[in-house]
Amino acid sequence: MTESTQVRHDWTLPEVQALFELPFIDLLMRAQTVHRQFFSPNQVQASSLLSIKTGACPEDCKYCPQSGHYNTELEKEKLMEVERVLAEAREVAASGATRFCMGAAWKNPPEKDMPLLEEMVRGVKALGLETCMTLGMLSAEQSDRLADAGLDYYNHNLDTSPEFYSEIITTRSYQDRLDTLHHVRSAGMKVCSGGIIGMGEQASDRAGLLCELANLPMHPESVPINMLVKVPGTPLENVEDTDPIEFVRCIAVARILMPTSHVRLSAGRETMSDETQALAFMAGANSIFYGDKLLTTANPGQSRDEQLLNKLGIGIEPLSGDNSNGVSSSSQQAQRTPPLYYNASLN
Ligand code: SAM
Ligand code: DTB
Ligand code: SF4
């Protein structure tokens, strides 16, 4: 095994920054080489999103159209009925996407809604889809309940570096986020955790975010890299655009640091050129959100994506029988070794 294929959890910030500073073509080549050791290079995993409870969120995330702290003229909605959620999931199953991700604008799910959430998980699974939820913070007990209902993935993003975090969110801490990830892991669910690029952060914050994710006791199976969607009414609506090349660098570094994870080219594709997306796939992105809506904002839609994927000769990754990323190498096994420590960098 070459050095690049080791699954490491001891990255230092200077090492990660050095990757960011490689000449672009060298970085892409390195990322693509790592990618091919673990994944089929011409396949992307496709997930679809549904907002099951929209707006009026008590958190103050400066990027988010759903925060109750800002006026984004978003229509607020109560928790969707189970039957409506399942009707949407049936359409997703027919579209070819393999995972259905249900998102709620909550600080944490209310206890009274837990039985409905469990019903949703069971119903979506029965359609043959993988299940994912993103509901805010979870207690250990709530994590166990969702895992028992069959929830495959839980999405909970670190969003940015520990240093920049308090510029973006003040109503919960970085440690709160790490605690939820720990509960999700302990309950046996797969972790989906990534962040947002383009919030006015420094290059060191982008490196810091990826370093935190890569040094978790186990790498998240899914790493969404979102380009900020600038929504009018949010405090970040006028933040300066991030250079697409810098964004692609983030994808490449995520691929190198977390070689067996699916790296998702996530929010922001609606305004991204085909060429930038192609570079992101070249850099090792192998997952997308499929369908014409993210949670509340626009996504390219199935027909535009079909055109792009056809042009690039990329297919949608089928579900593997064991529901894993299809890798059974010794390094993947190594990263599944139970953690000896937790949150070493913040203790
Ligand atoms: N409320 C839950 C939470 O924050 O964990 C789940 C839903 S929240 C909308 C999920 C993630 O979407 C956030 O962590 C953030 O990374 C991403 N997100 C939200 N608004 C975004 C935006 N305007 N642009 C890019 N990503 C965004
Ligand atoms: C993630 O990292 N990105 C998705 C999903 N996880 C839940 C959400 C993106 C939301 C973009 C803004 C919106 O549509 O409301
Ligand atoms: Fe609420 Fe999640 Fe939006 Fe933050 S990102 S305001 S927690 S919905």
Side-chain angles (χ1 to χ4, degrees), residues 89-230:
R90 272 179 220 112
E91 285 187 23
V92 165
S95 78
T98 57
R99 192 177 309 155
F100 188 60
C101 180
M102 295 159 265
W106 280 323
K107 187 178 187 69
N108 42 253
E111 278 306 309
K112 68 168 176 38
D113 290 329
M114 287 300 291
L116 296 172
L117 297 168
E118 290 165 321
E119 220 183 300
M120 288 174 196
V121 172
R122 283 191 288 265
V124 173
K125 259 187 112 67
L127 299 171
L129 288 163
E130 287 183 318
T131 50
C132 177
M133 281 182 160
T134 178
L135 315 168
M137 292 189 268
L138 289 186
S139 66
E141 202 226 332
Q142 288 177 322
S143 305
D144 288 341
R145 283 182 67 169
L146 292 171
D148 288 347
L151 187 62
D152 297 305
Y153 288 80
Y154 196 77
N155 166 249
H156 202 64
N157 292 338
L158 292 183
D159 278 339
T160 190
S161 68
E163 293 76 22
F164 192 59
Y165 187 86
S166 59
E167 302 280 317
I168 300 297
I169 303 151
T170 68
T171 48
R172 55 169 151 68
S173 69
Y174 215 73
Q175 189 58 50
D176 288 335
R177 293 247 122 185
L178 291 166
D179 289 347
T180 291
L181 292 181
H182 180 56
H183 295 147
V184 169
R185 256 308 167 222
S186 303
M189 287 184 280
K190 293 184 185 138
V191 169
C192 172
S193 188
I196 310 180
I197 307 303
M199 300 191 291
E201 73 282 350
Q202 305 287 312
S204 60
D205 296 309
R206 298 195 269 271
L209 164 70
L210 296 181
C211 202
E212 283 292 324
L213 291 167
N215 288 343
L216 288 170
M218 276 173 73
H219 292 168
E221 282 78 2
S222 169
V223 181
I225 306 292
N226 297 280
M227 177 77 106
L228 177 72
V229 179
K230 294 191 232 177

